[in-house]
Amino acid sequence: MEDTMDRLKLHFRKNCEGYFLNAEGKILARKSEKGFIIFPGGGIDDGENIWEGMIREVLEETEFKVKINGELGKIQISWGENWAKTEKQKKRYEIYQGDEMHFFFGEIVDSEIADIDEEDKWDGEKFMDIQEVIDFIDSTKPFEEDVKKYREVQIKFLNELKDKLAI
């Protein structure tokens, strides 16, 4: 059994997730093959600020240029001992306690651009109705303990965004 005290000494990995809308008010999101909603985002590179990282992640994954209108908030999530499934995650688990997740909102400013070769690049439909996204996440309740804080904050921020835009 691992030493919990040693894990608490580890830093959090800076991460981001963004809620970006197109001109029709649809949110940049897609359903995964594993049955959950994916938003653009990911880890912040060394020497990169979180805003730059968010813009880069959206471009790499979706091929869209975005404008960030603001940060909705952030949370820290400690990973449980069964969190790491892939080799990439297992390596991260050794050096980080979990994620410091920053949530952004904004808008699409340019349509799809030149093809980018990235492992996390999205294929297929890239936009969903914001209420459909909220309802889908809400339908997965009760949330598993390891994702409960994350899913609850997603619903909170998405509802705030929807209310702000009066969608």
Side-chain angles (χ1 to χ4, degrees), residues 17-22 25-33 36-41 54 58 61-62 64 66 106 108 122-134 136-137 150-151 154 158 161:
E17 180 167 292
Y19 306 137
F20 296 96
L21 302 173
N22 66 12
K26 302 259 185 189
I27 192 166
L28 189 54
R30 68 182 180 92
K31 289 183 183 175
S32 78
E33 303 82 37
F36 53 90
I37 302 289
I38 298 174
F39 300 94
M54 182 75 260
V58 175
E61 292 175 0
T62 70
F64 284 103
V66 295
I108 306 295
W122 293 13
D123 291 322
E125 184 59 40
K126 297 179 183 177
F127 291 95
M128 297 178 70
D129 178 78
I130 195 167
Q131 188 61 56
E132 177 187 357
V133 169
I134 293 167
F136 185 88
I137 295 170
Y150 172 61
R151 295 288 183 237
Q154 280 183 314
L158 288 164
L161 182 59

Side-chain angles (χ1 to χ4, degrees), residues 5-163:
M5 290 306 294
D6 286 345
R7 289 222 30 89
L8 295 176
K9 294 177 186 174
L10 298 175
H11 294 287
F12 285 89
R13 178 177 178 254
K14 285 193 179 179
N15 210 322
C16 60
E17 180 167 292
Y19 306 137
F20 296 96
L21 302 173
N22 66 12
E24 293 79 40
K26 302 259 185 189
I27 192 166
L28 189 54
R30 68 182 180 92
K31 289 183 183 175
S32 78
E33 303 82 37
K34 297 180 180 177
F36 53 90
I37 302 289
I38 298 174
F39 300 94
I44 306 301
D45 292 341
D46 290 337
E48 184 176 54
N49 73 46
I50 55 175
W51 290 62
E52 293 167 338
M54 182 75 260
I55 291 168
R56 176 187 50 77
E57 285 288 343
V58 175
L59 186 63
E60 288 176 357
E61 292 175 0
T62 70
E63 300 180 326
F64 284 103
K65 289 184 180 179
V66 295
K67 174 185 172 196
I68 297 175
N69 294 337
E71 186 172 355
L72 295 162
K74 72 177 181 181
I75 60 170
Q76 289 184 331
I77 305 166
S78 295
W79 298 328
E81 60 185 64
N82 297 318
W83 171 82
K85 306 286 188 255
T86 67
E87 286 306 310
K88 192 177 192 180
Q89 289 172 336
K90 289 175 184 174
K91 287 178 185 173
R92 286 181 184 155
Y93 187 81
E94 296 298 317
I95 54 176
Y96 297 108
Q97 181 183 151
D99 282 318
E100 177 182 281
M101 182 71 81
H102 296 260
F103 295 85
F104 295 94
F105 72 98
E107 58 197 270
I108 306 295
V109 294
D110 201 356
S111 58
E112 292 188 50
I113 61 161
D115 193 34
I116 296 173
D117 185 27
E118 280 292 323
E119 69 175 305
D120 295 331
K121 185 177 145 191
W122 293 13
D123 291 322
E125 184 59 40
K126 297 179 183 177
F127 291 95
M128 297 178 70
D129 178 78
I130 195 167
Q131 188 61 56
E132 177 187 357
V133 169
I134 293 167
D135 291 345
F136 185 88
I137 295 170
D138 200 45
S139 75
T140 64
K141 287 180 179 174
F143 302 128
E144 293 182 24
E145 198 55 41
D146 61 335
V147 297
K148 183 177 181 180
K149 183 177 181 181
Y150 172 61
R151 295 288 183 237
E152 287 174 347
V153 83
Q154 280 183 314
I155 290 173
K156 175 183 181 272
F157 290 151
L158 288 164
N159 274 312
E160 286 175 7
L161 182 59
K162 184 184 82 160
D163 292 345

